[in-house]
Amino acid sequence: MNTAIRNIGATTIVDITGHIDLGSSPALRKTMLDCLKSTDRLAANLAGVKYIDSSGIASLLEVLKEARKGQKKFVLFGLTVGVREVLQLTRLTGVFEIHESEAGAVGGALRQGSACS
């Protein structure tokens, strides 16, 4: 799994590629939680994710929980068929804010955000 971080306006986007599994989910969780500290809106781009297991889902849920606790936004976009199926099977499509495109995920967040490292 690889991640790249970039900003569009006030939204920090984490582009994720590869598999999110037991071996990679701790690093992803750390990256996203670190980014969440420096932004009010975090978006996970899952277009490059071919596979996600329960540990990956748990990481996404932990980031969502922290975002809500800090009154911040955490959104997902670009879900592949496999990722969407896992979220549907676990009945989490209604828990996460999910957008089809990056434009939808960025939404009306217009002010400039700061990059996380």
Side-chain angles (χ1 to χ4, degrees):
M1 180 204 68
N2 292 305
T3 59
I5 300 161
R6 58 195 170 92
N7 290 311
I8 295 182
T11 303
T12 299
I13 298 172
V14 180
D15 296 309
I16 308 162
T17 56
H19 292 190
I20 305 173
D21 55 25
L22 187 59
S24 62
S25 62
L28 178 62
R29 179 172 47 249
K30 181 182 181 332
T31 297
M32 291 195 298
L33 289 174
D34 287 348
C35 286
L36 195 58
K37 293 175 186 174
S38 60
T39 189
D40 287 333
R41 186 174 182 89
L42 181 63
N45 177 3
L46 301 172
V49 175
K50 304 285 189 255
Y51 172 83
I52 188 167
D53 69 7
S54 60
S55 65
I57 296 295
S59 292
L60 294 177
L61 285 168
E62 185 176 338
V63 175
L64 179 63
K65 178 183 165 189
E66 286 301 310
R68 287 179 174 172
K69 189 162 52 169
Q71 297 180 346
K72 299 180 178 197
K73 282 281 218 181
F74 176 56
V75 302
L76 309 177
F77 74 94
L79 276 61
T80 58
V81 172
V83 172
R84 185 175 297 279
E85 285 176 356
V86 170
L87 289 174
Q88 287 172 335
L89 286 170
T90 56
R91 300 177 190 239
L92 292 172
T93 52
V95 173
F96 289 102
E97 183 177 328
I98 299 172
H99 296 274
E100 293 300 317
S101 67
E102 182 174 294
V106 171
L110 298 175
R111 68 176 180 77
Q112 188 63 27
S114 59
C116 65
S117 54

